[in-house]
Amino acid sequence: QLEPLEKPEKEYKKSLSKNQGIYSEDWFDQFEACNVIRRVCKHHQSIILQTGNSLQSLVGTLSKHADSLRSAVSRIALMTFADMFQTLKRVMEPCLVSIVKTLIKRASDTNHFIAEEADKCLAIMVQNCQESKVLQVLQMQNMNSRSNL
């Protein structure tokens, strides 16, 4: 259950800190920070919308976590993306290019739980973002993957 936070601004800032948040090297800190971000998305979206310029940085870090070899960190990062798409909707569109590559890679993962979570996230992304933007990014990703062959 993702309950509202008592002090959402304070906890969100803490989740973005270098020492004990999403940018920490400790996987437990990363996991907990993702849960805080999920709770902020669900109950206190205005905090993320107010700090829109840090959204790209947050998405970049979450993409790295989604690509983590530690399945718990990878899965919670994918769940965080899904929650962000579900609540922030089109605000996430400028970040699609950096997210889609990770989601497609993880959707083909041998770990069933990771692949399933990536599939869910892709479906939520398609439901909540402009179809033309999603299609454009998917086509661009397809062209990039073909050129890498």
Side-chain angles (χ1 to χ4, degrees):
Q1 292 287 355
L2 295 174
E3 299 294 325
L5 297 165
E6 286 185 29
K7 298 178 183 177
E9 287 187 33
K10 182 179 179 182
E11 291 186 51
Y12 181 67
K13 286 179 183 177
K14 184 179 174 183
S15 75
L16 297 179
S17 72
K18 299 272 186 216
N19 298 335
Q20 53 193 347
I22 194 116
Y23 301 106
S24 169
E25 294 296 318
D26 181 9
W27 73 268
F28 183 77
D29 289 341
Q30 295 167 356
F31 188 91
E32 289 300 313
C34 283
N35 271 328
V36 168
I37 293 166
R38 292 179 66 212
R39 291 169 71 183
V40 168
C41 282
K42 185 168 183 168
H43 301 288
H44 317 282
Q45 307 89 323
S46 62
I47 294 172
I48 293 178
L49 296 174
Q50 292 168 359
T51 58
N53 58 347
S54 65
L55 187 61
Q56 289 283 357
S57 174
L58 176 60
V59 164
T61 302
L62 284 171
S63 290
K64 289 177 188 171
H65 293 334
D67 218 13
S68 173
L69 295 176
R70 183 170 291 279
S71 60
V73 172
S74 179
R75 187 167 185 226
I76 195 73
L78 293 169
M79 292 168 71
T80 304
F81 275 142
D83 289 338
M84 291 173 79
F85 281 121
Q86 203 156 27
T87 57
L88 300 176
K89 300 185 186 306
R90 293 184 63 186
V91 171
M92 294 293 291
E93 288 178 0
C95 306
L96 285 176
V97 173
S98 57
I99 298 171
V100 165
K101 181 178 181 180
T102 303
L103 293 180
I104 290 174
K105 178 181 176 185
R106 296 313 270 185
S108 64
D109 199 287
T110 56
N111 181 325
H112 174 72
F113 297 108
I114 299 298
E116 186 177 291
E117 206 60 55
D119 285 343
K120 285 182 197 174
C121 189
L122 282 165
I124 292 169
M125 176 188 72
V126 169
Q127 291 169 358
N128 291 288
C129 292
Q130 197 174 20
E131 292 173 5
S132 61
K133 297 234 186 214
V134 172
L135 184 59
Q136 180 184 14
V137 171
L138 289 170
Q139 287 175 329
M140 187 173 68
Q141 180 61 37
N142 184 41
M143 295 300 285
N144 288 343
S145 64
R146 284 183 178 186
S147 67
N148 289 339
L149 295 177

